[in-house]
Amino acid sequence: MAVLFPVAHPIMCAIMNQVSEINLAIAVAKAGAMPSLMLYNSNNETFASDLKTNMAQFKSAVGNTDIVLCVPASFLRSAVVCDTIILCGVKFIEIFPSHADTNTFMMSRGTSPFDGTELIPTEYTNSEFLNNINFLKDAGVKILMRMVWEKQPVHPFADVLCIKGADSAGIKGSKTVKERFMQFLETHPTMPLIPYGGISSSDDVDFYINNGAAAVAVGTLFAACDDSRLSNETKNKMIEATSKDLTSLDTSGQSALVFTTADKTSADDINRTSSLVKGISSAVGHIYAGTGIDGVTTNRTAHQVVRYLSGNRAI
């Protein structure tokens, strides 16, 4: 644990989509957990400059560069992006398929569970991608790989596996995170594992750490915290809800808390919904959430979330 994630406590923030931004990452880091950052609105041309700006702000506020950077696989075909990752001192990157491949291997399944028939993302076999991955690894960057469907292969470049399941935000699967985590413990006993989803209490954190997890990743609780950019309306709706209120979106099967009936004619598309910012006042309201929403019972700062997940032990 101390080798992979040298922070005060083995809780990693894994914030999704438009909720992720540098101010929340700073708040999480100051609370003693390892933050993640997804530059959601950057594209292949702006990613490097946006990363420099964000990491300069983070290092100035926190004093280090201990962050997990979420990067679409297609961006890693760019030498400039990879050079910037190293220049900024990023030690961990979490890779995931880009939009086209995501639609191919994940989104097109509709409401059916993962069954292993999804296509392997072609980006993970691209020669430019693989060469740059090796370049990053030679520079000491650790590669985190999301494991999101049942028969997904573990690629040789992965240093850490991020295990998702049916109780993760934005995921519809046939097994829970705990079931998949225990399965990976048997099949990949020497590989560092991080459960991604369903973390709602200190008991959940203790279960995974006691069973050998390198860290735990928490998204929903941090998305609802006071330091998150979500509107207060959205946060209050999350406080009022439980995992029983979660539903699978019709077009993707992804787990979400829906505030209103989705309007299929809306220009606000289902994966880039402005309700993440506007809250329940939006014409279409939903936020991806996992069963960790059961731990969202009151207003908390990022520091209070970390204390809550650590059982109020000193961190």
Side-chain angles (χ1 to χ4, degrees), residues 14-72:
I15 295 299
M16 303 78 66
N17 296 348
Q18 293 178 349
V19 184
S20 179
E21 50 88 32
I22 197 63
N23 292 308
L24 179 56
I26 290 170
V28 169
K30 288 184 175 181
M34 171 75 82
S36 68
L37 177 66
M38 180 184 289
L39 301 177
Y40 192 71
N41 293 318
S42 298
N43 55 43
N44 209 9
E45 288 71 37
T46 64
F47 186 88
S49 60
D50 290 344
L51 178 59
K52 287 180 182 178
T53 300
N54 278 266
M55 289 305 296
Q57 184 179 345
F58 184 84
K59 187 172 183 180
S60 176
V62 179
N64 60 51
T65 57
D66 294 337
I67 198 167
V68 177
L69 178 67
C70 302
V71 188

Side-chain angles (χ1 to χ4, degrees), residues 51-215:
L51 178 59
K52 287 180 182 178
T53 300
N54 278 266
M55 289 305 296
Q57 184 179 345
F58 184 84
K59 187 172 183 180
S60 176
V62 179
N64 60 51
T65 57
D66 294 337
I67 198 167
V68 177
L69 178 67
C70 302
V71 188
S74 63
F75 288 14
L76 295 178
R77 296 173 62 176
S78 165
V80 172
V81 166
C82 295
D83 287 341
T84 304
I85 288 172
I86 295 172
L87 177 66
C88 290
V90 175
K91 302 178 181 69
F92 311 100
I93 62 171
E94 178 190 345
I95 61 170
F96 58 94
S98 306
H99 183 67
D101 262 352
T102 299
N103 282 340
T104 298
F105 94 99
M106 194 166 114
M107 299 301 294
S108 62
R109 71 185 186 277
T111 58
S112 62
F114 298 110
D115 61 8
T117 62
E118 293 79 12
L119 298 177
I120 297 173
T122 56
E123 290 172 321
Y124 290 170
T125 59
N126 177 271
S127 59
E128 289 177 309
F129 168 82
L130 291 173
N131 287 337
N132 285 340
I133 283 286
N134 289 330
F135 173 72
L136 290 168
K137 288 169 70 73
D138 288 344
V141 178
K142 298 294 185 182
I143 311 298
L144 284 66
M145 182 177 180
R146 291 184 191 177
M147 305 303 293
V148 295
W149 82 93
E150 294 299 332
K151 298 180 182 179
Q152 181 178 357
V154 175
H155 290 265
F157 55 74
D159 295 306
V160 183
L161 302 182
C162 304
I163 312 301
K164 285 200 167 192
D167 38 358
S168 303
I171 294 293
K172 179 179 175 63
S174 57
K175 293 182 180 178
T176 66
V177 176
K178 284 186 178 179
E179 289 172 331
R180 298 200 70 210
F181 176 82
M182 299 306 291
Q183 186 176 47
F184 273 97
L185 280 178
E186 293 184 6
T187 59
H188 296 78
T190 62
M191 181 72 76
L193 306 177
I194 301 177
Y196 260 48
I199 307 293
S200 64
S201 69
S202 60
D203 287 342
D204 292 328
V205 174
D206 289 344
F207 171 85
Y208 286 116
I209 298 304
N210 291 339
N211 280 281

